Each structure stands twice: as C-alpha cells, then as structure tokens.
Amino acid sequence: MTVLGKPLELRGVTLPNRIALAPMCQYSARDGLPGDWHLAHLGARAVGGAGLVIAEATAVLPEGRISPRDTGIWSGAHVDAWRPITAFIAAQGAVPALQLAHAGFKASTYWPFAQERGGVPDGDGGWQPVGPGAEPFIPSYRAPRALDEAGITAVIDAFAQAAVRAVDAGFQAVEIHAAHGYLLHEFYSPLTNHRTDGWGGDRPARMRLALAVARAVRAAVGPDLPVLARVSATDWTDGGWDVADTVVLARELAAAGVDLIDCSSGGAAPHADIPLGPGYQVPLAQRVRAEAGVLTGAVGLITEPEQAERIVEDGQADLVLLGRELLRDPYWPRRALDRLGGLPHWPDQYQ
Ligand code: FNR
C-alpha cells in the first residue's frame, strides 16, 4: 500500500492523500476576482486527484497583490467569486485551501507574461507598495512606504478578516504565505528588515509579525480548520535567514496554531545562488520536521511518483506539494497512485 495515498488528518479535516497542488499565481484576475480560468485550472487538479488543492497567493489587501492581476479576498465580492470554485473542488473529494498573501515590497509588479518588467506605475494600474523599510527590493521595483505601527496592525487584522472570508467562501484550510520575499518573510529575514522598533532587530522581533498573523488567523478560523504556513526555510546566502532559524520559527508557529510547515526557500536575496535539483528543498522539510517536531510539506522539483513516495515513507515530510509537474499533467496524482499500487479512484465519468 502506498503511503502517498494515505489520508492525512489535520484538525477537523482529512486530506484523502498526501499530494497537494502547490499554490501558483495565474495572473488572470481582474480587481482580485477569480473567474472561469481559476475554476478550470483548480478544478482540473482536483479531478486529477490532488488531495489538497491550494489556490494561489491571494491578497488580503489590494496593495498586497504581487501584480494587478492577482486574486484577492478583501471583500464580499471575492467571497462570492471563490464560492463556485471551492464547491467544485470539494465535490471531487479534494480539500480546497487558500493561500493568504501580502506581497509587501514586491507588490505592484508586472506579471511574468506581460511585455513590461519591474514595478507597475500608477498610470498602468499600479500603486505604492509597503514594506519593512523604504528601500525597493531591486532598483526596477517601486520604492515602498515603511509600515508604521498602525499599518502593521491593519495587516494583521486583514489576514484575520481574509481567513474568515476564506472559510465563508468554502475553503477548508488556509495557508499563510510567509515565504519568497513577501511581507512576512521580509520582516523575519535579516536581509530585508532593518527596523529598530519592536518589529525588527533580533530574531524574536523579526519573527513577531509572522507569529502575530498566525495567532490572528488561528483565532479567526476557530479550532477545527487546518492552518498551514509556507516559509522560506533559508535565504541561501551568508548573513541571511537559515534553516536553524526556521526550526525556531516553526516551533513558534506551531504554538501559535499552525498545523503544517510548507518548506520552500529563497526570495529575499535577489542574487542568491540556489542549488536547484530534484527535491532540492526536501532536506529543509526533513530537518524542520525532525528538529521542530512539526508536520512539514516538501516542495520543489518533485516530479516522480517513487520520489514522492520515498519522501513520505522516509519521514522527510508529511505532505508532498507539486507545482509545475501538476501544470504539465493534472492527472499526475491519479497516475502516481495507480503506479504505486494505491486505489485507482478515477472519477466515474472517466472509468
Ligand atoms: C509559483 N510558486 C508560488 N508559490 C507560492 O507560495 N505562491 C504562489 O502563488 C506561487 N505562484 C507560482 C506561480 C507559478 C506559475 C509557479 C511555477 C510557481 C511556487 C510554487 O508553489 C512551487 O513552490 C515551485 O514552483 C516549486 O515547485 P515545483 O514547481 O518544482 O513543483
């Protein structure tokens, strides 16, 4: 029997298997509203057998969008737009989850398939981003406004309200996006947080925002809904955040009510040398799982069923997330479980 096909219980929700669609921006929304593309894209991966379908980085505030085409969850109109999508995912037996995001100083940029690059000016639908400081991420991005105390409180509150809306929209889990050089990672990484108030300085002060958001989201969704957090487990550069820091963060996130740490990496250092290769981030998930005693998710260049099976079997991670491989083949989970000897749960229509 395949371990990849074993259910995973997270609080009041049971994932039917250990395969998740990694959150992936589609840059296909207007005013933050998801539409037919999102239904077809996410729906196909649910039909394809992913046990957990995590919808893309979805902004908790309009200024927290990476690009003007990102999805959002900052109003009731967004709840209505997400509802048919979550209903379809759940009807396939998958668990719909929403990644709650704030892009911080990486907001208001052109989407990858735009003609232009870098920061979007006001005249083209852009806005001034916010961040831990006033320095832009890279010169071609817009210079942010440093968040003040009231701004930080508003961000924490926005994550909590977004989590409530996500539940209202039918999501059965949420993932806090605290990775990839976006706002929460910008605060905990020493590379990007140079604040001298209570939100910067030593590691506890830098972690404070991510932890405050985790506590607020847990309080907002109640005790039964799974809360995941995606972290950048290392900045891959000297003087940056590293996996030993992540072990500490993971323990504290768990104490704040987070159920699983999704271990990604990078995004805060523009020129980091990332050792890309098959399963290159799996050792991060393994170490965090072993040393922090939390459930972890592994992601990054996982493409083979046997590779995924081994990750779970060897106790490197509890959940395997696939991004690009699931873009190439939405049926990867069903094919993988078939090949590994799991139950071939094809939809009736496809039997
Ligand atoms: C991503 N990734 C990503 N990560 C995230 O946390 N939130 C997001 O919205 C996105 N958006 C996104 C869009 C696209 C088109 C890609 C390809 C990637 C990263 C993604 O979740 C995953 O971590 C990486 O792609 C590595 O996994 P794979 O693709 O090697 O399986």
Side-chain angles (χ1 to χ4, degrees):
M1 174 61 183
T2 155
V3 291
L4 203 57
K6 265 180 56 181
L8 177 64
E9 263 180 55
L10 296 173
R11 298 204 181 225
V13 173
T14 303
L15 312 186
N17 59 50
R18 308 301 183 101
I19 306 168
L21 171 70
M24 281 180 285
C25 286
Q26 300 296 295
Y27 305 106
S28 302
R30 300 273 177 224
D31 301 321
L33 297 168
D36 291 347
W37 176 265
H38 302 86
L39 173 62
H41 162 67
L42 297 168
R45 275 76 206 167
V47 172
L52 180 67
V53 172
I54 310 180
E56 67 192 79
T58 293
V60 299
L61 290 167
E63 63 270 26
R65 290 172 294 166
I66 304 166
S67 84
R69 294 198 176 191
D70 287 29
T71 51
I73 185 88
W74 63 80
S75 82
H78 298 94
V79 173
D80 293 341
W82 281 112
R83 218 174 252 141
I85 299 171
T86 61
F88 184 84
I89 295 169
Q92 311 316 311
V95 172
L98 185 65
Q99 191 182 45
L100 302 174
H102 191 306
F105 70 7
K106 286 184 163 182
S108 190
T109 60
Y110 282 103
W111 52 103
F113 46 91
Q115 299 297 318
E116 304 87 344
R117 289 278 167 273
V120 182
D122 283 1
D124 202 15
W127 58 90
Q128 188 186 22
V130 298
E135 285 297 302
F137 173 55
I138 49 176
S140 63
Y141 280 27
R142 294 190 58 160
R145 173 174 57 79
L147 280 171
D148 59 13
E149 197 69 35
I152 290 174
T153 304
V155 164
I156 298 166
D157 198 41
F159 268 96
Q161 289 183 34
V164 170
R165 286 191 202 100
V167 176
D168 194 17
F171 288 103
Q172 294 169 19
V174 294
E175 175 169 275
I176 297 167
H177 197 344
H180 302 168
Y182 298 122
L183 189 66
L184 304 186
H185 181 195
E186 285 158 30
F187 268 77
Y188 67 71
S189 174
L191 302 177
T192 44
N193 183 342
H194 308 294
R195 298 175 72 103
T196 52
D197 61 0
W199 301 95
D202 60 8
R203 184 171 64 196
R206 284 182 279 110
M207 295 193 312
R208 199 173 145 207
L209 180 58
L211 294 172
V213 165
R215 277 190 294 272
V217 167
R218 169 52 66 206
V221 300
D224 294 333
L225 199 103
V227 176
L228 289 64
R230 173 166 277 202
V231 299
S232 276
T234 172
D235 286 333
W236 297 114
T237 190
D238 289 343
W241 182 262
D242 66 21
V243 63
D245 294 316
T246 303
V247 169
V248 175
L249 176 63
R251 274 194 209 114
E252 298 207 20
L253 283 170
V258 171
D259 304 303
L260 185 143
I261 308 293
D262 173 5
C263 295
S264 190
S265 71
H271 307 296
D273 197 10
I274 301 180
L276 291 172
Y280 71 104
Q281 293 174 143
V282 175
L284 305 172
Q286 179 178 22
R287 183 154 163 211
V288 170
R289 188 176 190 270
E291 295 185 20
V294 295
L295 301 183
T296 60
V299 66
L301 294 176
I302 298 166
T303 55
E304 299 306 315
E306 292 76 12
Q307 176 194 17
E309 175 81 356
R310 241 184 352 264
I311 290 167
V312 179
E313 195 168 45
D314 294 352
Q316 293 176 297
D318 303 278
L319 184 71
V320 173
L321 297 94
L322 281 82
R324 289 161 292 182
E325 189 61 16
L326 272 172
L327 295 184
R328 289 184 280 266
D329 178 8
Y331 302 107
W332 189 96
R334 294 198 189 272
R335 289 198 301 105
L337 294 178
D338 269 1
R339 191 152 115 193
L340 295 166
L343 291 177
H345 301 291
W346 288 87
D348 291 344
Q349 294 91 330
Y350 292 3
Q351 293 284 358

